[in-house]
Amino acid sequence: MSSRKQLRPKADFGRALQVLRAARGVTQEDMLFATSRRHISRVEQGHQVPSIRTIEGLAESLQIHPMTLIATAYCQGLEHASFDEIIETVKADLQALTLC
């Protein structure tokens, strides 16, 4: 069994959203069509986990693919190796399921 199966990954959507907003130079107010400012704030503070529809809206506001937000949420660090590991894991999972 691989190490990724031994430890359950934990998403940090709040940190991911803050990092990606800062990288894009986007404020919470700029994202109001995706959800309310209060909801964005609660997600960023870790009090709420966004629904898939909210993730899609937030990603659209940031002009990124929703999987970018999700992958960033699962990265322990923000270095390329961490992202590469996540992408390779997803590819392997999909290949094992013969979906891709």
Side-chain angles (χ1 to χ4, degrees):
M1 184 179 275
S2 71
S3 62
R4 71 181 169 86
K5 299 292 185 190
Q6 294 170 1
L7 296 175
R8 188 173 183 189
K10 300 206 183 215
D12 188 346
F13 284 98
R15 179 189 54 82
L17 184 55
Q18 288 174 336
V19 166
L20 295 172
R21 270 196 322 100
R24 287 287 197 204
V26 173
T27 66
Q28 288 181 348
E29 289 79 16
D30 294 333
M31 302 179 78
L32 292 181
F33 90 91
T35 189
S36 71
R37 186 177 185 286
R38 183 170 192 262
H39 188 209
I40 293 169
S41 180
R42 292 192 49 78
V43 168
E44 288 187 352
Q45 293 170 8
H47 299 298
Q48 289 184 309
V49 176
S51 69
I52 193 69
R53 294 289 180 234
T54 300
I55 290 170
E56 291 170 345
L58 294 169
E60 186 176 341
S61 294
L62 294 168
Q63 298 180 334
I64 59 174
H65 193 281
M67 287 300 296
T68 303
L69 177 53
I70 293 168
T72 304
Y74 282 98
C75 283
Q76 295 301 314
L78 296 175
E79 62 278 342
H80 287 285
S82 184
F83 285 106
D84 290 344
E85 182 180 336
I86 288 172
I87 298 304
E88 289 306 315
T89 299
V90 171
K91 283 182 186 177
D93 287 345
L94 290 172
Q95 287 174 346
L97 295 166
T98 64
L99 295 175
C100 213

